[in-house]
Amino acid sequence: MTREADHVPVLLDEVVKGLAVVPGETLVDGTFGAGGYTQALLGAGAGRVIGFDRDPDAIANGPSLVPDARLTLIHERFSQMDRALADRDLLPVDGIALDIGVSSMQLDQAERGFSFSNDGPLDMRMSQSGQSAAEFLNEADETEIARVIRDYGEEPRARSVARAIVAARPLTRTSELAAVVRKALGHHAGMKSDPATRTFQAIRIHLNAELDELEQGLRAAERSLRAGGRLAVVTFHSLEDRIVKRFLRTRSGATPAGSRHRPMAAAGPRPSFEQVAKPVSPSEAELARNPRARSARLRTAVRTDAPAWDQEKAA
Ligand SMILES: C[S@@+](CC[C@H](N)C(=O)[O-])C[C@H]1O[C@@H](n2cnc3c(N)ncnc32)[C@H](O)[C@@H]1O
């Protein structure tokens, strides 16, 4: 386990600004990771930060990365944050930050199996439980593998990649998977990005149900924020950004709740978010420092006093 905070936080100043921290407030960092956002929020005067992460390593390393009595760490998925906060009498909160995706600590540790450049076991599980990448790739049929690679990797040649994977089974190492994908798609020096990038991303998103987590996390945040509370969400690719954009558009009343099939539907619920800001991208200076920030987008909004649209599902 690493104890170094070798993850460079993305859009950090912009997130702190978007959360407009008032000293003494209680804030949630839904994706603690290496604690970069938490540290900045505490530095901005937060009275308390509740840090969530689904990765047990992130939670175990947290106290040494951010030694501060104002920090409470919870090993839980952010989609469950409202229940976890309610259990501790911490609702409602003043602000919530989500920084979607994997941390550099996860990517750089070969044994976690997220990386195609460092050989490791085909794992890719953020929570370190559930189905591993090896189990999925060795057991699923070609059509299912192709669907995952197409839908979550936006890989135009998903079928060819899936066929090559099935022909090469069993696969146990990330280097084997990377070699199979490169061979299927053709790889030559000078290519802008490794052809395995999209397939690795797709399998990771599928195994960790990341898009569903994001959908549910936004709803959990809506249930957790007080009126006037702020939400800041950083995403890393268009599939995720689209989910946040649509959620805030609908919740702020910019997209009517009725559909074109029900044009006369009664007015929908009152907007639960307002002041939805234009998306923010990293500055040139940040990109020069941290090329991994390339596709990051920040969206922020402020909670209104309207009830949450989806009340908590019965336990
Ligand atoms: C991009 S990193 C966050 C980095 C952090 N902002 C920092 O500055 O150090 C994302 C982290 O969120 C965690 N994560 C991803 N999905 C999650 C979820 N649904 N619930 C809780 N944690 C999640 C990952 O395990 C990872 O540690």
Side-chain angles (χ1 to χ4, degrees):
M1 268 192 320
T2 179
R3 277 172 187 275
E4 282 166 49
D6 46 10
H7 177 89
V8 182
V10 170
L11 289 165
L12 181 64
D13 295 344
E14 292 83 352
V15 167
V16 173
K17 189 164 159 242
L19 286 181
V21 182
V22 174
E25 284 187 330
T26 296
L27 305 170
V28 166
D29 180 350
T31 48
F32 178 80
Y37 284 9
T38 288
Q39 194 118 46
L41 297 174
L42 290 168
R48 185 162 193 184
V49 173
I50 320 296
F52 286 87
D53 207 294
R54 68 189 294 181
D55 185 339
D57 283 359
I59 297 298
N61 287 333
S64 59
L65 290 173
V66 186
D68 192 309
R70 293 172 294 163
L71 171 62
T72 302
L73 285 162
I74 302 179
H75 178 218
E76 184 54 277
R77 288 173 293 139
F78 54 62
S79 59
Q80 309 301 314
M81 73 169 85
D82 52 331
R83 285 184 210 185
L85 293 167
D87 287 348
R88 293 165 178 80
D89 266 340
L90 289 168
L91 285 179
V93 296
D94 303 300
I96 298 174
L98 295 177
D99 182 14
I100 305 305
V102 277
S103 69
S104 302
M105 294 195 302
Q106 290 166 329
L107 273 176
D108 294 343
Q109 282 184 284
E111 66 272 23
R112 299 297 304 270
F114 288 106
S115 167
F116 51 79
S117 32
N118 302 321
D119 180 42
L122 267 175
D123 191 316
M124 302 197 204
R125 296 170 298 175
M126 288 185 187
S127 306
Q128 302 185 26
S129 63
Q131 191 183 41
S132 69
E135 284 164 350
F136 169 65
L137 292 171
N138 291 326
E139 288 162 22
D141 65 28
E142 186 185 307
T143 305
E144 169 68 352
I145 296 173
R147 182 192 67 77
V148 165
I149 296 173
R150 186 178 51 247
D151 289 359
Y152 302 142
E154 299 182 290
E155 169 58 66
R157 294 172 58 205
R159 183 54 86 164
S160 310
V161 176
R163 198 174 304 130
I165 287 172
V166 169
R169 297 200 291 208
L171 293 168
T172 59
R173 310 288 299 176
T174 58
S175 58
E176 288 172 337
L177 175 61
V180 168
V181 179
R182 287 176 190 136
K183 190 161 170 230
L185 295 178
H187 184 219
H188 50 82
M191 272 183 150
K192 236 168 63 200
S193 65
D194 192 304
T197 312
R198 288 192 292 264
T199 294
F200 271 69
Q201 170 190 299
I203 296 167
R204 196 200 83 210
I205 289 178
H206 168 68
L207 288 176
N208 295 288
E210 289 178 44
L211 301 186
D212 195 44
E213 265 299 306
L214 177 55
E215 293 265 9
Q216 298 309 320
L218 293 169
R219 286 168 171 74
E222 182 191 31
R223 292 191 292 265
S224 302
L225 283 169
R226 69 163 167 84
R230 285 85 54 202
L231 175 66
V233 188
V234 173
T235 59
F236 280 85
H237 51 77
S238 54
L239 293 171
E240 296 167 345
D241 183 52
R242 204 173 305 147
I243 289 172
V244 183
K245 179 173 152 184
R246 284 195 185 143
F247 176 83
L248 291 177
R249 216 187 240 172
T250 313
R251 292 305 204 261
S252 62
T255 306
S259 71
R260 66 196 169 90
H261 305 294
R262 297 185 305 136
M264 302 307 283
R270 278 201 296 132
S272 55
F273 281 96
E274 61 187 1
Q275 299 177 49
V276 178
K278 288 211 171 74
V280 175
S281 303
S283 63
E284 290 298 324
E286 177 167 2
L287 290 178
R289 276 196 316 273
N290 181 15
R292 276 181 180 177
R294 210 167 42 243
S295 45
R297 292 279 172 290
L298 165 68
R299 292 186 187 265
T300 57
V302 177
R303 183 76 169 85
T304 69
D305 63 2
W309 287 21
D310 297 319
Q311 295 305 325
E312 193 177 7
K313 289 183 217 107

